[in-house]
Amino acid sequence: MFRLIWTPSVRTRDYLHRYMPSNRLLAAIRTRRELKWGMPAMLVALPYLLIARISSGAAADGGPGWLHLIVLWACWNALKFIIMGPASVVLLLRVRLREASIRRHQRHDSRVEASLREPALAIRLNRPRQQMP
């Protein structure tokens, strides 16, 4: 029974993730190169909120009941974009800290490697003898 519920939900999620523009945009923002666009992407929530307001007003004024589905869809997408702003800042900070840590370790490793190449005790075997006056 669990499998009968799980399989359609996974397929629905895959379909929505693959073909819905809002999900594709959010997936693009989650990449390393595009994390900087998370805060401006919050502005995309404004048209969704406007759609939700217009649809809920129309449904309240005696419009068809399916407008409530549009309200739900628009609110859900607006919420996704509103949450993505702060989440992208957190993800960007985490990525930059990780990159700084990697650079720091690489610099340390290169210093250690350079010091290992230098002899610990430099002895010159063929030194010229000092002449006595």
Side-chain angles (χ1 to χ4, degrees), residues 79-101:
L79 185 64
K80 288 191 296 188
F81 282 103
I82 289 170
I83 290 172
M84 189 59 200
S88 70
V89 171
V90 170
L91 291 172
L92 184 60
L93 285 173
R94 190 184 319 166
V95 167
R96 287 196 177 173
L97 288 173
R98 187 178 306 133
E99 289 171 353
S101 173

Side-chain angles (χ1 to χ4, degrees), residues 17-36:
H17 185 73
R18 189 173 298 128
Y19 295 110
M20 296 298 148
S22 63
N23 292 337
R24 295 186 74 159
L25 180 60
L26 288 171
I29 290 172
R30 283 187 205 103
T31 63
R32 167 61 184 102
R33 203 175 101 202
E34 305 299 330
L35 279 173
K36 63 186 173 201

Side-chain angles (χ1 to χ4, degrees), residues 23-67:
N23 292 337
R24 295 186 74 159
L25 180 60
L26 288 171
I29 290 172
R30 283 187 205 103
T31 63
R32 167 61 184 102
R33 203 175 101 202
E34 305 299 330
L35 279 173
K36 63 186 173 201
W37 293 104
M39 291 302 279
M42 289 176 63
L43 295 174
V44 175
L46 293 176
Y48 284 117
L49 292 174
L50 181 64
I51 291 169
R53 181 178 167 104
I54 291 170
S55 298
S56 66
D61 290 339
W66 58 264
L67 287 175

